[in-house]
Amino acid sequence: QSALTQPASVPGSPGQSITISCTGTSSDVGGYNAVSWYQHHPGQAPKLMMSEVSQRPSGVSIRFSGSRSGNTASLTISGLQAEDEADYYCCSYAGSSTFVFGTGTHVTVL
Amino acid sequence: QVQLVQSGAEVTKPGASVKVSCKASQSTFITSYMHWVRQAPGQGLEWMGIINPNTGGKGFAQTFQGRFSMTSDTSTSTVYMELSNLRSDDTALYYCARSDLSGSGFFDHWGQGTLVTVSS
């Protein structure tokens, strides 16, 4: 099972919107609604930011939104803030009781 | 309040085995699948496996089949992962995480992580 493909880094200025892509196949991202996104600050446990493609968990800012087109899922952060600087990972169910993470994207707030 | 508490850091040698525990509350235990995820230094998150603590049903990432095992102890609401024949590239932060039994497949709570260092 190959890791899902994400851009290594995405920069943005405060107040801007950025989008992180997550490309898989019809056997994972394109085949199931179980696509989720995690924010990860080094030394801390990852934090769930989006579940089931576009469901925002309670407590997560409305500035975060999720979508999918075909085999590519996306996480958009609107009104970028300094606190959003972190690593972001997508994850998808891949069938047969297995999951796969994306390669990870570092978001830099300029 | 869902809490997953993992065992402490381990330092071990190549070829040895390591066992890491993850303790949950009983209410969490009976409503969860438990997963193991690792992050090697400078690398991304890597999903390793899933266990239904109540039935013992499991799934493994192909990369880890053969060296990786998971068990559960319902009397203490604890799941364990054991990695054998350790190599230096198994040095990583190992996390347990839970998803609910609905099969929605997202990890809403995580343990604090256990650092495993493999060094001769």
Side-chain angles (χ1 to χ4, degrees):
Chain A
Q1 183 67 48
S2 299
L4 309 175
T5 301
Q6 298 181 230
S9 64
V10 174
S13 299
Q16 260 191 327
S17 291
I18 62 167
T19 296
I20 305 166
S21 60
C22 168
T23 300
T25 69
S26 58
S27 297
D28 39 61
V29 173
Y32 304 96
N33 280 337
V35 177
S36 53
W37 290 88
Y38 302 87
Q39 179 189 67
H40 192 205
H41 290 104
Q44 298 181 20
K47 176 185 177 184
L48 176 68
M49 304 302 286
M50 199 66 56
S51 65
E52 296 172 283
V53 178
S54 59
Q55 301 303 304
R56 191 173 50 250
S58 173
V60 172
S61 171
I62 61 172
R63 298 185 297 105
F64 290 82
S65 61
S67 63
R68 179 181 56 189
S69 177
N71 297 332
T72 298
S74 299
L75 179 72
T76 297
I77 309 175
S78 308
L80 197 63
Q81 298 180 1
E83 68 203 46
D84 300 331
E85 183 158 311
D87 297 323
Y88 291 82
Y89 294 89
C90 60
C91 183
S92 176
Y93 182 66
S96 302
S97 299
T98 67
F99 290 78
V100 60
F101 278 97
T103 49
T105 298
H106 185 72
V107 169
T108 302
V109 181
L110 301 171
Chain B
Q1 176 84 356
V2 176
Q3 260 197 314
L4 303 177
V5 180
Q6 298 183 224
S7 50
E10 302 267 5
V11 179
T12 186
K13 295 189 182 304
S17 298
V18 70
K19 193 170 186 177
V20 178
S21 67
C22 173
K23 183 174 174 59
S25 65
Q26 187 174 25
S27 59
T28 297
F29 206 69
I30 62 176
T31 59
S32 304
Y33 290 111
M34 299 298 288
H35 303 254
W36 290 95
V37 176
R38 77 176 185 181
Q39 185 177 37
Q43 305 296 310
L45 299 177
E46 184 176 23
W47 183 84
M48 300 176 68
I50 179 175
I51 182 170
N52 181 326
N54 304 289
T55 67
K58 299 164 194 172
F60 297 89
Q62 210 164 11
T63 308
F64 297 100
Q65 289 206 4
R67 292 199 302 134
F68 174 58
S69 63
M70 294 174 288
T71 54
S72 66
D73 183 342
T74 55
S75 68
T76 60
S77 302
T78 302
V79 293
Y80 300 88
M81 77 95 181
E82 186 167 13
L83 194 57
S84 62
N85 195 18
L86 288 165
R87 309 184 293 248
S88 57
D89 62 1
D90 290 317
T91 293
L93 191 55
Y94 288 78
Y95 293 101
C96 62
R98 72 150 315 248
S99 61
D100 66 35
L101 293 178
S102 71
S104 47
F106 54 87
F107 316 132
D108 54 5
H109 291 88
W110 294 68
Q112 81 275 22
T114 296
L115 180 62
V116 174
T117 303
V118 183
S119 173
S120 54

